[in-house]
C-alpha cells in the first residue's frame, strides 16, 4: 500500500513539474521577449513629440532683437532750412550716425499654405513606416519559432520510436540469449543484436543532444526555461486557413471542396501571371509598402505647400534711438518707445524652381515602392502554390503509411518466427525490425512534415 502511495506521489509530482506549450504560445512569448518590441514605445513617443512640436508653428512666435549700428549717412535737414532755424536759435544737427534698438516682435501665423499640416503628415507617416519595419522584423520570428518548434517535435518523435526500437531489440536479445543457452543460436547472433542495440543507443544520444540544443534555443527566444519534461503540443490541423489556402486538411475533400480548391488555384495562377498575390494575404510587408506610399504622398503635399504664400500678423515694440518720429529725433537726442503692427504676406517663388524636379523624384520613388510590392506579391503567390503542392503531396504519401506499417509489422513478426525455426539469419531479422521501425518513424515524420507545410502556408499568408 505504501509503495502504491509513493508511486502515485511521484507520478503526480512529475505531472505537475511538466509545462505544456503550444505553437501560438511560443510565438507570442518570443514576440514579447524580443528586444525589438521595445522600439514600439520609443517610436510612438518620438512621433508624438515631433508632431506636437510641428503643431506649435501656429503658436505666437516671439523674438527679441538687440541692435547697435553705425552708418555713414543719416537723414538731415536741408542746409537752407537748418540755417533759418539756427537764426531762430535752434540747432538741427540731424540724426546720430550711431543708432540703437531693443525690440520685441510677436508674429502670428494665419495661414502657411498647408506646410504645417503636410509636415505633421510626414512625421506621422514616417512613424508608421518605422512601426511597420519593426513589425516585419518581428513577424520573421514566427518562421524561426515554427522551425524550432517542429524540429523539436520531430526529434521527440524520433526519441519515442528509438525507445520502442530499443525495447524490441532488447526483447529479441533475450530471445536469442535463451536460444543460445539451448544451443539453437550462435554467439555471433547475440553479438549482432547487441551491436545493433548499441548503434541505436548512439543514435539516441545524438538525438538527445540535438533536442537539448533546440529546446535551449527556444528557451532563449521565448524567455521561458523549456526543459526536457516540458511538453510541446502538436499543432491542431487547420480546417480552412483562407480563401485561397488549403481547405479541409483534416478530412477527405468533398466534391464541393475539390471544385472550390480548383477554382481558387485557377484564380491564384491568374493573379500570379499578373504579378499579384491571392486575396487574403495579410503580410506586414504589405502594410510597410502602404506606409511607405503614404509617406511619399505626404511629401508630395509638402512640396505643393512650399509654393504657397504665407499670411500672418505681427506687432513689434522697441525702445531705441532714433524712434519713428524722425523730425523730433533730429531735434532731440533721446531714446523713445515705439511700436509697429500689421499684416505680412510672404511668397517664396524660389520653391517653384525645384517643384517639378521634386515631384518627379517622389513619383519615381512611389513607382519603386509599387514595384517592390508587386515583386513581393509575385514571389509570395509562387510560394503559396509550392506550399499547397507540398501539402497535397504529403497527403498522398500519408495515405499509404498505415498499410506500410501493417505490412512491415507482419513481415517482422514472420521473421521472428522464421528465426526461431532457424530458416533465416539474425541479420535478416534485424533488417526487418529496422524496416518496421523506419516505417513507424516515416509515418510520424510525414504527419509532422504535413503540419509544418500547412503552418508555412499560414505564415506565407499571415492567415
Amino acid at each position: 500500500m505504501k509503495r502504491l502511495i509513493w508511486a502515485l506521489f511521484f507520478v503526480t509530482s512529475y505531472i505537475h513539474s511538466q509545462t505544456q506549450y503550444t505553437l501560438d504560445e511560443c510565438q507570442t512569448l518570443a514576440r514579447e521577449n524580443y528586444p525589438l518590441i521595445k522600439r514600439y514605445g520609443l517610436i510612438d513617443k518620438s512621433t508624438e513629440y515631433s508632431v506636437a512640436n510641428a503643431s506649435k508653428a501656429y503658436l505666437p512666435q516671439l523674438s527679441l532683437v538687440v541692435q547697435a549700428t553705425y552708418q555713414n549717412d543719416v537723414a538731415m535737414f536741408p542746409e537752407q532750412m537748418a540755417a533759418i532755424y539756427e537764426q531762430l536759435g535752434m540747432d538741427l544737427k540731424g540724426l546720430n550716425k550711431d543708432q540703437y534698438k531693443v525690440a520685441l516682435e510677436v508674429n502670428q501665423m494665419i495661414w502657411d499654405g498647408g506646410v504645417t499640416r503636410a509636415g505633421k503628415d510626414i512625421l506621422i507617416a514616417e512613424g508608421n513606416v518605422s512601426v511597420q519595419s519593426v513589425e516585419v522584423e518581428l513577424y520573421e520570428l514566427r518562421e524561426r519559432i515554427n522551425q524550432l518548434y517542429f524540429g523539436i517535435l520531430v526529434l521527440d518523435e524520433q526519441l519515442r520510436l528509438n525507445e520502442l526500437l530499443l525495447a524490441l531489440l532488447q526483447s529479441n536479445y533475450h530471445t536469442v540469449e535463451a536460444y543460445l543457452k539451448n544451443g539453437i543460436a550462435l554467439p555471433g547472433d547475440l553479438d549482432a543484436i547487441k551491436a545493433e542495440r548499441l548503434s541505436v543507443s548512439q543514435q539516441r544520444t545524438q538525438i538527445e543532444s540535438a533536442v537539448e540544443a533546440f529546446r535551449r534555443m527556444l528557451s532563449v527566444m521565448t524567455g521561458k526555461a523549456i526543459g526536457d519534461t516540458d511538453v510541446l503540443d502538436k499543432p491542431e490541423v487547420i480546417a480552412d486557413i483562407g480563401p485561397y489556402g488549403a481547405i479541409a486538411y483534416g478530412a477527405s475533400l468533398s466534391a464541393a471542396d475539390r471544385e472550390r480548391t480548383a477554382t481558387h488555384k485557377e484564380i491564384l495562377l491568374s493573379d500570379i501571371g499578373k504579378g499579384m498575390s491571392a486575396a487574403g494575404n495579410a503580410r506586414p510587408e504589405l502594410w510597410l509598402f502602404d506606409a511607405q506610399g503614404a509617406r511619399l504622398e505626404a511629401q508630395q503635399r509638402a512640396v505643393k505647400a512650399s509654393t504657397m504664400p504665407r499670411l500672418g500678423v505681427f506687432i513689434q515694440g522697441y525702445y531705441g534711438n532714433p524712434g519713428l518720429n524722425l523730425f523730433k529725433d533730429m531735434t532731440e537726442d533721446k531714446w523713445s518707445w515705439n511700436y509697429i503692427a500689421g499684416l505680412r504676406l510672404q511668397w517664396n517663388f524660389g520653391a517653384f524652381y525645384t517643384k517639378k524636379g521634386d515631384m518627379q523624384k517622389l513619383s519615381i520613388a512611389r513607382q519603386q515602392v509599387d514595384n517592390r510590392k508587386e515583386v513581393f506579391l509575385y514571389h509570395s503567390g509562387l510560394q503559396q502554390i509550392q506550399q499547397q503542392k507540398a501539402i497535397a503531396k504529403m497527403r498522398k504519401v500519408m495515405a499509404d503509411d498505415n498499410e506500410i506499417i501493417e505490412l512491415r509489422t507482419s513481415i517482422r513478426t514472420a521473421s521472428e518466427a522464421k528465426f526461431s525455426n532457424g530458416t533465416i539469419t539474425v541479420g535478416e531479422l534485424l533488417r526487418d525490425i529496422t524496416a518496421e521501425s523506419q516505417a513507424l518513424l516515416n509515418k510520424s515524420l510525414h504527419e509532422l512534415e504535413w503540419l509544418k507545410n500547412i503552418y508555412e502556408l499560414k505564415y506565407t499568408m499571415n492567415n
Side-chain angles (χ1 to χ4, degrees), residues 94-271:
L95 297 177
N96 295 329
K97 291 185 176 181
D98 56 324
Q99 300 183 2
Y100 308 92
K101 178 190 290 187
V102 179
L104 181 65
E105 183 170 326
V106 180
N107 289 279
Q108 173 63 58
M109 182 70 68
I110 297 176
W111 185 65
D112 65 355
V115 171
T116 300
R117 177 72 264 174
K120 290 166 64 176
D121 289 344
I122 290 174
L123 292 171
I124 294 172
E126 287 178 345
N128 289 335
V129 169
S130 299
V131 167
Q132 295 307 325
S133 297
V134 172
E135 186 64 35
V136 169
E137 294 185 55
L138 289 174
Y139 188 75
E140 293 174 355
L141 280 177
R142 288 181 56 177
E143 186 176 22
R144 283 190 271 174
I145 294 297
N146 283 350
Q147 293 172 350
L148 284 174
Y149 196 93
F150 281 103
I152 293 172
L153 290 180
V154 168
L155 292 171
D156 285 345
E157 191 64 22
Q158 290 178 347
L159 283 175
R160 186 182 70 82
L161 295 175
N162 181 279
E163 186 176 352
L164 293 177
L165 179 57
L166 280 174
L168 184 59
L169 288 172
Q170 185 66 26
S171 175
N172 280 276
Y173 181 85
H174 292 317
T175 301
V176 174
E177 190 175 34
Y179 289 164
L180 181 62
K181 291 179 181 179
N182 296 326
I184 300 175
L186 298 174
D189 295 336
L190 196 62
D191 291 340
I193 295 180
K194 186 176 182 180
E196 183 67 20
R197 191 176 60 183
L198 291 173
S199 177
V200 173
S201 295
Q202 285 181 335
Q203 294 175 4
R204 181 176 185 83
T205 301
Q206 293 173 348
I207 296 172
E208 287 175 340
S209 176
V211 76
E212 181 182 358
F214 273 51
R215 284 178 177 267
R216 188 180 301 118
M217 286 188 288
L218 189 60
S219 298
V220 171
M221 295 187 69
T222 59
K224 298 290 184 179
I226 301 177
D228 296 338
T229 60
D230 294 326
V231 178
L232 301 185
D233 292 340
K234 185 182 294 186
E236 295 181 357
V237 176
I238 304 170
D240 188 347
I241 68 170
Y244 295 96
I247 300 171
Y249 290 123
S252 299
L253 291 177
S254 65
D257 285 336
R258 285 195 296 270
E259 182 179 355
R260 187 153 60 103
T261 303
T263 302
H264 291 159
K265 186 174 181 182
E266 290 177 4
I267 295 174
L268 180 57
L269 287 170
S270 174
D271 286 342

Side-chain angles (χ1 to χ4, degrees), residues 7 16 31 114 147 151 198 217 260 290 307 324 344 359 388 392 418 429:
H16 283 293
R31 179 185 176 91
Q147 293 172 350
L198 291 173
M217 286 188 288
R260 187 153 60 103
D290 291 341
T307 62
L324 294 177
R344 179 179 291 146
M359 294 296 286
Q388 288 173 338
K418 291 177 182 179
L429 173 61

Side-chain angles (χ1 to χ4, degrees), residues 277-327:
S277 172
N281 193 328
R283 288 285 293 270
E285 289 89 345
L286 299 179
W287 306 338
L288 176 59
F289 294 136
D290 291 341
Q292 291 172 341
R295 179 177 61 183
L296 290 170
E297 291 175 0
Q299 290 173 341
Q300 288 178 330
R301 291 195 296 272
V303 171
K304 294 177 181 178
S306 67
T307 62
M308 301 299 291
R310 291 157 177 74
L311 179 64
V313 296
F314 73 94
I315 181 170
Q316 183 188 85
Y318 72 89
Y319 182 66
N321 184 13
L324 294 177
N325 190 338
L326 297 181
F327 183 80

Side-chain angles (χ1 to χ4, degrees), residues 13-30:
S13 300
Y14 177 75
I15 292 175
H16 283 293
S17 66
Q18 288 183 326
T19 303
Q20 287 188 322
Y21 294 95
T22 65
L23 178 57
D24 290 339
E25 288 174 346
C26 288
Q27 289 174 345
T28 301
L29 289 170

